[in-house]
Amino acid sequence: ELKVEQNPLFLSMQEGKNYTIYCNYSTTSDRLYWYRQDPGKSLESLFVLLSNGAVKQEGRLMASLDTKARLSTLHITAAVHDLSATYFCAVIYNQGGKLIFGQGTELSVKP
Amino acid sequence: GEEVAQTPKHLVRGEGQKAKLYCAPIKGHSYVFWYQQVLKNEFKFLISFQNENVFDETGMPKERFSAKCLPNSPCSLEIQATKLEDSAVYFCASSPTRWEQYFGPGTRLTVT
């Protein structure tokens, strides 16, 4: 059974600082996704990572994938308050499209 | 439509009552997925459909949960005899290929 683990689960940051969220998964998978969820809202797709060494960047967020280590990272650069949200990684299980989610990382960016 | 639509937004049921949730996928998408989010952060896959056919039902509790996707109708997820532990937000997602899922706004079910 595929398991996905994120750490940290809670992250309180100061504006302007950098930090990294880690996502480990237990078995081989074709695709890894990062989502953002604001309180009471749906999931917003941030990145999809398809291959070893893939790196994608959007604004202050950068995601990378190491399939050999079964590890993805979401790096936050110079955090701003607007980035406060819960971030989930998710991995496709087999070929069926079923997503297995990590526990989520609740990010709070304080001035 | 260009967005996944879910109704109702909120649903309150007494324990033992039936609950029925609806999902209209994006037009042209042939895959529909249902997920349950409990305790704010824990997502659990329930079931997926390819058109009207069940594709993967490995996450469905067999006893009280059922789901359908019929032609020209919204997909539905029904819970018979709800329990307190069914309180959660239920998300539907649709996809043209299985690989990129577009999530709806969710239905919050509260069982009292």
Side-chain angles (χ1 to χ4, degrees), chain B:
Chain B
E2 293 298 320
E3 293 182 343
V4 177
Q6 289 189 248
T7 55
K9 193 170 180 180
H10 300 282
L11 189 57
V12 180
R13 288 289 179 265
E15 222 176 348
Q17 292 184 317
K18 184 173 77 175
K20 196 164 186 178
L21 293 61
Y22 296 92
C23 168
I26 293 171
K27 195 174 180 181
H29 284 192
S30 34
Y31 291 89
V32 170
F33 298 79
W34 285 98
Y35 296 90
Q36 178 193 54
Q37 185 179 25
V38 296
L39 299 173
K40 196 165 74 168
N41 281 359
E42 184 186 329
F43 275 91
K44 180 187 171 189
F45 167 81
L46 294 175
I47 190 169
S48 61
F49 289 84
Q50 182 181 13
N51 297 313
E52 61 268 26
N53 303 308
V54 174
F55 193 73
D56 181 349
E57 57 181 349
T58 51
M60 280 287 268
K62 295 292 184 187
E63 290 179 349
R64 300 179 294 108
F65 284 61
S66 62
K68 291 179 188 175
C69 279
L70 300 176
N72 303 313
S73 296
C75 296
S76 63
L77 176 69
E78 189 168 331
I79 309 171
Q80 301 285 344
T82 53
K83 296 183 177 181
L84 294 176
E85 68 233 36
D86 299 331
S87 294
V89 181
Y90 292 82
F91 287 99
C92 167
S94 74
S95 176
T97 61
R98 304 198 298 275
W99 307 126
E100 190 167 356
Q101 297 179 27
Y102 297 80
F103 282 81
T107 292
R108 179 175 296 277
L109 172 65
T110 302
V111 181
T112 61

Side-chain angles (χ1 to χ4, degrees), chain A residues 52-98:
Chain A
N52 189 43
V55 177
K56 290 198 174 177
Q57 183 159 6
E58 180 74 34
R60 300 175 189 273
L61 300 177
M62 183 174 71
S64 66
L65 179 62
D66 180 345
T67 56
K68 292 178 184 175
R70 295 180 191 150
L71 170 68
S72 179
T73 61
L74 180 67
H75 187 72
I76 302 153
T77 301
V80 293
H81 179 68
D82 285 353
L83 290 179
S84 296
T86 300
Y87 293 85
F88 291 91
C89 65
V91 176
I92 289 277
Y93 183 68
N94 288 338
Q95 296 291 312
K98 169 168 115 176

Side-chain angles (χ1 to χ4, degrees), chain A residues 5-103:
Chain A
E5 292 190 349
Q6 285 181 237
N7 73 83
L9 300 185
F10 299 94
L11 180 53
S12 182
M13 295 177 67
Q14 278 194 310
E15 276 192 331
K17 298 291 187 184
N18 304 331
Y19 211 82
T20 300
I21 299 170
Y22 297 89
C23 174
N24 287 92
Y25 53 100
S26 59
T27 60
T28 304
S29 175
D30 288 338
R31 295 167 184 246
L32 188 138
Y33 301 82
W34 284 97
Y35 293 94
R36 169 181 171 145
Q37 187 179 38
D38 291 291
K41 302 292 185 183
S42 187
L43 291 170
E44 175 190 350
S45 179
L46 296 174
F47 303 107
V48 54
L49 302 168
L50 302 179
S51 58
N52 189 43
V55 177
K56 290 198 174 177
Q57 183 159 6
E58 180 74 34
R60 300 175 189 273
L61 300 177
M62 183 174 71
S64 66
L65 179 62
D66 180 345
T67 56
K68 292 178 184 175
R70 295 180 191 150
L71 170 68
S72 179
T73 61
L74 180 67
H75 187 72
I76 302 153
T77 301
V80 293
H81 179 68
D82 285 353
L83 290 179
S84 296
T86 300
Y87 293 85
F88 291 91
C89 65
V91 176
I92 289 277
Y93 183 68
N94 288 338
Q95 296 291 312
K98 169 168 115 176
L99 287 172
I100 306 297
F101 285 84
Q103 310 97 309

